Amino acid sequence: MSGPTAPGGQAAAPHHPAVVAVERDASGRHLARELTPGAFLAPRPLLPCPDRMRIALVGTRAGLLAGDDLRLHITVGPGARLELVEPSGLVAYDHRGGASAWRAVVHIAAGGRLDWDGQPFVIAHGARVDRTTEVTLAPGARMLWRDTLVLGRSGERGGAVRARTRAVHDGRELLVEDLDLTDPGLRELPGVLGPNRVVGSVTALGVRPPGPPHPYRTDLAGPGAQVRLVDTGAPEMEADLSALYERWRTETGPG
């Protein structure tokens, strides 16, 4: 499959990031300041909404292979609200001894808000993925993120993934996590994942959602909270996470 085309008609470079930048003008309208396709993702505007900009992240390649480096840069301007939609999930295929990377860098200005409804990221047998998410939030900025890792396709034990997340709010670290699932023997131990191969979470940054308590909720040291679930299969857990994501999206109010 051929890669996407960058502005000017040239093919996107192998490590060229997809860029989404949204701002709000003096009249309150949301504008897409930049929507640049990358080597793996192409941002596409969806039907307009009066209170936010909705952007779909459309995959332009079948998935991650050895040597691939997917990069995504997201910027939300002051007082703007961006909703990211993923029409489908992502599969990292057998890397045959190689490795790939997935990197997202997010900047949210004062009063800005990002709602990111992520779809499952499948780590097939033989894949080895390094995934990094870096989030910087100014005072009054918020982010709500649903994220699911699936270790292997049906009948597979699953490949290796190391997922690192660092979120900074108002200059202070709010969430720093290093989820190392590279060794199947260690991650399948009791007290780690055991027989579970699906790891999903809903994370609120910059705001602490109200509402009824959740048995697996962890409040962060600053304004934020996370609910993480593990299961042997994705459908039921995804339904629970989707319901929680929608509730938190509503309860945290407008951006």
Side-chain angles (χ1 to χ4, degrees), residues 62-104:
L64 290 182
L65 301 175
D68 284 348
D69 188 356
L70 187 158
R71 301 188 185 192
L72 176 62
H73 294 172
I74 302 166
T75 302
V76 182
R81 180 172 179 180
L82 170 63
E83 180 183 350
L84 285 181
V85 177
E86 295 183 16
S88 62
L90 178 66
V91 179
Y93 294 99
D94 190 342
H95 289 359
R96 303 182 185 279
S100 67
W102 182 102
R103 312 168 195 273

Side-chain angles (χ1 to χ4, degrees), residues 226-248:
Q226 182 181 77
V227 169
R228 170 159 290 154
L229 304 177
V230 297
D231 208 333
T232 56
E236 289 188 4
M237 191 186 75
E238 278 293 285
D240 291 342
L241 291 177
S242 180
L244 178 65
Y245 175 87
E246 289 301 324
R247 191 172 81 232
W248 279 9

